[in-house]
Amino acid sequence: PQAVGKARAVASQTGLQATFVECDIADVKEAVRGPFDIVFMSWGAICWVPDIDKLFSDVANLLAPGGFYYLLDAHPLINAIDDSWTVCQGLPVFPEPYASQTEPVAWAWHDYADESFDAGGKNSYEWPHSNAQVVTALSKAGLRIAFLHDHDYLVWRAAPGLVEDSKGKFRWPEGVNPLPLSYSVKAVKL
């Protein structure tokens, strides 16, 4: 709600003609009427969607020809690891699945924006989607992949060892061979 309000204020100040919608992603087909030039999704949204084939079909229907979908989110690999990195026969063992299964993954609920938040022992349920699953679902929806990029930052401290930079982004410490922390994908409706 705050982000949508801020986006509307910026659009108004700059004279940008834009529509910002806040709704349950499962209801997007009924809640929103296109066509749109851009559909944008970021930080912690896609993990709440069990059926990304349906999501991206709905997204494709909302886009005007030449319009694009842009996703920026945590890399699925970062959700599969934790700070304990168990090793078996010299290889890392990931405590959580890299990609979605038929059932959601239960996590101890925490708030990445407020580390002091206490959820009272409640769980969060998420569906992790691999980059391959995302790209395949976008392609199946009839969208052409323009790019898939890995990034070396997050906007929250997903692991205790990440270091905050001067712009408020969290990165691996210097001297560490980093795994990607986030990714972005752009898919275009032809």
Side-chain angles (χ1 to χ4, degrees):
Q2 287 180 325
V4 172
K6 189 168 186 170
R8 286 184 178 131
V10 169
S12 176
Q13 292 167 359
T14 61
L16 177 69
Q17 190 175 32
T19 302
F20 300 94
V21 178
E22 179 185 344
C23 71
D24 184 319
I25 198 71
D27 300 330
V28 72
K29 191 173 182 180
E30 293 76 31
V32 181
R33 298 287 177 248
F36 293 99
D37 296 324
I38 302 170
V39 174
F40 175 80
M41 182 183 273
S42 74
W43 304 124
I46 198 169
C47 64
W48 304 109
V49 180
D51 185 354
I52 59 173
D53 287 334
K54 179 187 177 310
L55 168 68
F56 295 144
S57 174
D58 290 346
V59 164
N61 288 328
L62 289 172
L63 287 170
F68 66 88
Y69 169 76
Y70 184 86
L71 170 67
L72 172 64
D73 209 340
H75 196 286
L77 183 60
I78 207 66
N79 293 326
I81 62 175
D82 65 13
D83 55 355
S84 65
W85 279 78
T86 307
V87 175
C88 176
Q89 297 179 2
L91 298 172
V93 176
F94 302 114
E96 302 296 340
Y98 169 72
S100 66
Q101 314 298 312
T102 55
E103 297 296 318
V105 174
W107 306 82
W109 189 16
H110 66 281
D111 186 334
Y112 60 82
D114 180 2
E115 293 177 9
S116 66
F117 175 77
D118 181 6
K122 294 180 182 174
N123 284 336
S124 171
Y125 297 90
E126 301 176 12
W127 289 264
H129 305 289
S130 72
N131 289 350
Q133 289 170 322
V134 168
V135 167
T136 300
L138 287 165
S139 295
K140 283 171 43 179
L143 302 176
R144 182 185 57 80
I145 306 304
F147 63 73
L148 171 64
H149 294 151
D150 287 333
H151 305 287
D152 65 350
Y153 69 90
L154 284 168
V155 293
W156 72 94
R157 188 183 314 276
L162 296 180
V163 177
E164 188 172 5
D165 70 14
S166 63
K167 295 181 180 179
K169 294 179 179 176
F170 294 88
R171 301 174 187 276
W172 296 104
E174 219 172 292
V176 171
N177 288 324
L179 293 169
L181 293 171
S182 56
Y183 76 107
S184 58
V185 62
K186 179 180 178 182
V188 180
K189 182 172 183 174
L190 302 176

